[in-house]
Amino acid sequence: MFNAIAQAVGYQTLMDQPDIHLDLKRLDLIHPHISGNKFYKLKYNLQHAKQLGQDTLITFGGAFSNHIAATAYAAHYFGFNSIGIIRGEELADQRLNHTLATASQFGMQLEFINRQDYRNKEQPDFLAELQSRFPNAYIIPEGGTNSLAIQGCKEILSEQDRQNYDVICCAVGTGGTITGLIESSHFNQNILGFSALKGDFLTSDVTHLTAKKNWKIIDEYCCGGYAKTSAQLIEFIQFFEKQYQIPLEPIYTGKMLFGIFDLIEKAYFPPHTRILAIHSGGLQGRQNLL
């Protein structure tokens, strides 16, 4: 199903110094719309929805959610209806940003709810009411993170990746991607997550998803919170794109690479470390904030 639309994933060397080697795995190349980690997160969820005979996908996200945009396209391509429950009822009266406009163009019905109600999106009563309204719908959590998403994200690392790198770096939003990487990593690898959000709650969330201990999440490069930026981040992204001709967005991958380059400059990594950074796609986010 998904494998039939996948395109080639590439690697690009960003740094090859005596003490540090840094490669970027280009998951952004896997598909123009279901790109990066979203390809892996949605893969088994949509297969399961097909097996159950359900015809509608319901999921959740904010105004800048890569997951919302990717789910809308995947639903359109594979013949599902789609509904996006969007955080912030005030957005209903505003012009849609690029992310939400893209989702709408692919046929997603957008429902804007207030932030208090949105906090209940994982509560049984909330989900039961939603399921009663749409009895033939398959509900996917915010960011796509569930056991099937983690199963898909375990496929991001190849055997070559497990053998060739000491540190695997990724951006973190809801914890599904980093959990998949942790679960599939070699015992002597370290997984380093760069949070797109402020706060240490993601560490607690991931702790409940994996028993392995070879990982860490830092939020020092989140620039104040989700979808927030800084002059330093934008300056870094402009430098990076000019230097490597690789597009970034400022919500996830841009922050991760900003953090990696800063940590290298601060000698955070031991000598001779081989690092693999995961480009998790989501380039539609460029249209919102760059």
Side-chain angles (χ1 to χ4, degrees), residues 247-284:
L248 300 178
E249 45 70 40
I251 300 175
Y252 292 103
T253 303
K255 290 180 178 180
M256 173 196 68
L257 285 164
F258 180 46
I260 292 171
F261 273 65
D262 186 60
L263 292 178
I264 289 173
E265 186 175 337
K266 293 176 178 177
Y268 175 89
F269 300 101
H272 313 299
T273 298
R274 295 183 61 84
I275 305 168
L276 178 65
I278 306 296
H279 192 317
S280 52
L283 292 173
Q284 58 82 26

Side-chain angles (χ1 to χ4, degrees), residues 190-258:
N190 291 313
I191 311 300
L192 186 60
F194 291 81
S195 178
L197 305 90
K198 189 174 181 62
D200 59 3
F201 63 93
L202 281 171
T203 296
S204 175
D205 291 348
V206 174
T207 299
H208 289 92
L209 296 173
T210 180
K212 297 175 75 172
K213 307 297 183 184
N214 61 331
W215 59 277
K216 179 181 179 180
I217 297 175
I218 60 175
D219 71 350
E220 297 171 23
Y221 302 97
C222 72
C223 300
Y226 182 70
K228 293 186 178 180
T229 63
S230 68
Q232 292 85 355
L233 174 63
I234 300 303
E235 182 180 351
F236 170 80
I237 290 175
Q238 292 170 344
F239 152 79
F240 183 93
E241 293 184 343
K242 182 178 180 180
Q243 181 77 16
Y244 301 105
Q245 290 76 55
I246 299 172
L248 300 178
E249 45 70 40
I251 300 175
Y252 292 103
T253 303
K255 290 180 178 180
M256 173 196 68
L257 285 164
F258 180 46

Side-chain angles (χ1 to χ4, degrees), residues 18-265:
D19 282 350
I20 294 290
H21 183 94
L22 172 62
D23 286 341
L24 184 67
K25 189 165 187 175
R26 299 285 307 277
L27 299 188
D28 59 305
L29 300 176
I30 201 167
H31 190 272
H33 298 290
I34 317 173
S35 71
N37 61 335
K38 303 309 177 190
F39 180 93
Y40 296 93
K41 282 186 166 186
L42 290 171
K43 177 180 178 180
Y44 291 113
N45 274 290
L46 266 67
Q47 287 183 12
H48 190 47
K50 281 285 189 186
Q51 291 166 0
L52 294 173
Q54 292 167 309
D55 61 14
T56 301
L57 304 179
I58 298 178
T59 195
F60 308 85
F64 301 99
S65 170
N66 293 327
H67 171 68
I68 287 289
T71 302
Y73 178 85
H76 167 77
Y77 186 90
F78 291 110
F80 293 91
N81 301 314
S82 64
I83 299 169
I85 310 299
I86 309 301
R87 180 179 65 247
E89 62 183 348
E90 73 279 1
L91 299 174
D93 298 322
Q94 300 177 15
R95 181 179 178 181
L96 297 180
N97 67 14
H98 179 78
T99 296
L100 297 181
T102 298
S104 181
Q105 288 165 10
F106 287 130
M108 177 173 276
Q109 175 186 331
L110 303 177
E111 291 198 7
F112 299 92
I113 65 174
N114 66 57
R115 295 167 193 277
Q116 180 60 47
D117 289 342
Y118 190 85
R119 293 189 188 100
N120 296 323
K121 64 186 179 299
E122 297 176 0
Q123 297 302 313
D125 289 348
F126 182 96
L127 294 173
E129 191 275 334
L130 197 58
Q131 197 77 72
S132 69
R133 289 174 57 202
F134 305 100
N136 207 33
Y138 182 86
I139 299 176
I140 302 174
E142 181 183 47
T145 292
N146 58 15
S147 60
L148 291 175
I150 293 169
Q151 177 185 342
C153 288
K154 288 169 68 174
E155 298 176 2
I156 291 174
L157 292 184
S158 68
E159 184 56 37
Q160 179 183 356
D161 297 335
R162 285 186 281 271
Q163 295 297 327
N164 289 351
Y165 298 99
D166 307 300
V167 178
I168 309 294
C169 296
C170 71
V172 185
T174 55
T177 301
I178 191 172
T179 301
L181 294 173
I182 293 165
E183 290 295 287
S184 65
S185 65
H186 197 271
F187 73 93
N188 63 353
Q189 289 181 306
N190 291 313
I191 311 300
L192 186 60
F194 291 81
S195 178
L197 305 90
K198 189 174 181 62
D200 59 3
F201 63 93
L202 281 171
T203 296
S204 175
D205 291 348
V206 174
T207 299
H208 289 92
L209 296 173
T210 180
K212 297 175 75 172
K213 307 297 183 184
N214 61 331
W215 59 277
K216 179 181 179 180
I217 297 175
I218 60 175
D219 71 350
E220 297 171 23
Y221 302 97
C222 72
C223 300
Y226 182 70
K228 293 186 178 180
T229 63
S230 68
Q232 292 85 355
L233 174 63
I234 300 303
E235 182 180 351
F236 170 80
I237 290 175
Q238 292 170 344
F239 152 79
F240 183 93
E241 293 184 343
K242 182 178 180 180
Q243 181 77 16
Y244 301 105
Q245 290 76 55
I246 299 172
L248 300 178
E249 45 70 40
I251 300 175
Y252 292 103
T253 303
K255 290 180 178 180
M256 173 196 68
L257 285 164
F258 180 46
I260 292 171
F261 273 65
D262 186 60
L263 292 178
I264 289 173
E265 186 175 337

